[in-house]
């Protein structure tokens, strides 16, 4: 969350910057809560001082002619009254703090100055393109028609087993999906210096609060029954980033920053996407992703975003998939992000670019919620880390891109060279 000091110092300036995200900061509500807590604290301090001086008045009362018992009774009555007032003020301050915490958790991160103004994805700005869109001597099909004709994608059976927005993969298609995961992990580990981690697929509410999914986006999550209150993870970002929650990292560990890569299934209710991408694998309730997470010194996060995005781009380039890189406008920028690049792969079946990776810098926004810190050797004091993450890549969408970009007129799909070592000699899906 945001540093409350920044809001106090310049609430109007913060409100102006947040307007880029289409968020209206209620300055009056913030200042009222902040003042309520301050007043309660100030009055408590005054009462504590009064209680301290009251305990010394027994001697003064006795000297003035009051009996010892009467003096004690008078002072005790005063102390009891002060105690009641202190309890009332304590409760008042607690409620004000809880309301302030709730407000702060609902305020999104301030966008970077480089983030363009705009309402939605139509205002995102293209900053680079790579590769050549394939040309076909026939009308290209989309991944659903290709996959079903090959007997590799079965949406009807998945619907029978569970419901809509799921898929069953079979045979070489399932193997290709698995090959993509192995290929992505190996690339990030061997070429990009990430450490592979395996994490739980269920997390508690504190983890989701730490990365910003709760409390604002609970409807997008799958919450499990039972006393534990666990949630299925929407992305590996949540468990991996929370590995550093409530920790202070030694400066030596931060010499090159911390880099983690992780493969997990992801579970999303897609509550806000009714009617969108109902066909095929573009938007499903369960999908696989290889995630990249970096935790770095504040001075290094801007460059870290460029390198992390480059690591996602490397996967697309090795697979020979044409894509473009866009910077998200304020209206399309995520709640916790201060700056995001989306990589959009070309899909011949749709004749458009579609998002396949989102790479974001969160600054200290998540770290403040998680209390993830490092010890600065110059001051020997703990300071907040900066967190970043990105898809490296969304596996299902990468499979979609391969099916559509490597399709042949005969209905087969050529396996990209980079994946053949993982396919046991299979060069074509037929």
């Amino acid at each position: 969350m945001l540093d409350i000091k920044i809001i106090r110092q310049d609430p109007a300036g913060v409100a102006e910057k947040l307007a880029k995200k289409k968020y209206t900061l209620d300055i009056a509500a913030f200042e009222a809560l902040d003042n309520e807590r301050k007043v309660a604290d100030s009055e408590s301090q005054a009462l504590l001082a009064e209680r301290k001086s009251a305990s010394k008045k027994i001697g003064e009362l006795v000297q003035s002619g009051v009996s010892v018992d009467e003096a004690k009774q008078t002072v005790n009555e005063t102390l009891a009254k002060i105690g009641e007032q202190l309890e009332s003020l304590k409760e008042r301050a607690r409620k004000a703090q809880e309301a302030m915490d709730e407000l702060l958790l609902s305020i999104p991160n301030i966008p970077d100055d480089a983030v363009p103004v705009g309402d939605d994805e139509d205002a995102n700005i293209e900053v680079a393109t790579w590769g050549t869109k394939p040309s076909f001597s026939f009308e290209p099909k989309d991944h659903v028609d290709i996959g079903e004709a090959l007997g590799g994608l079965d949406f009807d059976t998945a619907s029978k087993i569970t419901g809509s927005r799921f898929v069953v993969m079979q045979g070489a298609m399932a193997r290709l999906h698995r090959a993509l995961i192995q290929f992505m992990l190996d690339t990030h580990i061997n070429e990009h210096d990430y450490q592979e981690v395996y994490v739980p697929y269920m997390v508690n509410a504190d983890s989701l609060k730490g990365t910003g999914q709760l409390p604002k986006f609970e409807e997008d999550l799958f919450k499990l029954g039972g006393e534990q209150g666990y949630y299925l993870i929407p992305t590996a970002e949540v468990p991996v980033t929370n590995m550093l929650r409530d920790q202070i990292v030694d400066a030596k560990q931060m010499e090159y920053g911390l880099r983690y890569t992780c493969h997990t299934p992801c579970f999303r209710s897609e509550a806000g996407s009714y009617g969108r991408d109902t066909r095929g694998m573009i938007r499903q309730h369960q999908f696989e992703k290889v995630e990249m997470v970096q935790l770095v010194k504040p001075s290094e996060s801007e460059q870290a975003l460029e390198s992390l995005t480059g690591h996602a781009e490397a996967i697309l380039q090795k697979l020979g998939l044409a894509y473009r890189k866009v910077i998200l406008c304020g209206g399309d920028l995520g709640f916790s992000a201060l700056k995001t690049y989306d990589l959009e792969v070309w899909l011949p079946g749709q004749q458009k670019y579609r998002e396949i990776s989102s790479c974001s810098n969160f600054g200290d926004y998540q770290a403040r919620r998680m209390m993830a810190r490092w010890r600065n050797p110059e001051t020997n004091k703990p300071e907040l880390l900066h967190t970043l993450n990105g898809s490296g890549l969304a596996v299902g969408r990468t499979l979609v891109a391969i099916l559509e970009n490597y399709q042949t007129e005969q209905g087969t799909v050529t396996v990209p060279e980079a994946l053949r070592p993982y396919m046991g000699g299979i060069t074509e899906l037929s």
Side-chain angles (χ1 to χ4, degrees), residues 202-276:
M202 296 182 288
V203 292
N204 55 37
D206 286 341
S207 293
L208 289 158
K209 286 177 184 176
T211 45
Q213 282 79 13
L214 285 181
K216 187 173 178 61
F217 301 104
E218 183 157 13
E219 67 173 5
D220 295 326
L221 303 169
F222 284 110
K223 186 174 183 178
L224 304 178
E227 297 179 358
Q228 299 91 343
Y230 294 152
Y231 295 79
L232 294 175
I233 61 170
T235 165
E237 165 199 348
V238 179
V240 176
T241 310
N242 272 277
M243 288 167 55
L244 274 294
R245 174 154 50 98
D246 297 323
Q247 287 198 33
I248 300 174
V249 182
D250 185 80
K252 191 173 183 180
Q253 289 180 268
M254 295 304 300
E255 188 173 348
Y256 300 107
L258 301 174
R259 295 183 179 185
Y260 300 108
T261 188
C262 185
H263 159 249
T264 66
C266 305
F267 305 92
R268 299 183 186 177
S269 71
E270 298 293 350
S273 65
Y274 294 117
R276 293 180 58 198

Side-chain angles (χ1 to χ4, degrees), residues 155-172:
F155 298 96
D156 291 338
T157 298
S159 182
K160 177 182 70 175
I161 296 170
T162 309
S164 60
R165 295 185 187 259
F166 293 90
V167 67
V168 169
M169 300 182 204
Q170 301 180 64

Side-chain angles (χ1 to χ4, degrees), residues 371-416:
M371 290 307 291
R373 295 162 291 170
W374 72 294
R375 191 171 297 281
N376 188 332
E378 295 180 3
T379 62
N380 199 36
K381 294 181 179 179
E383 296 181 8
L384 293 172
L385 291 163
H386 278 201
T387 63
L388 307 95
N389 70 57
S391 308
L393 304 165
V395 181
R397 292 195 179 192
T398 309
L399 180 69
V400 167
I402 288 172
L403 295 181
E404 295 193 11
N405 282 274
Y406 283 91
Q407 63 181 296
T408 69
E409 191 169 5
Q410 292 72 35
T412 64
V413 175
T414 303
V415 175

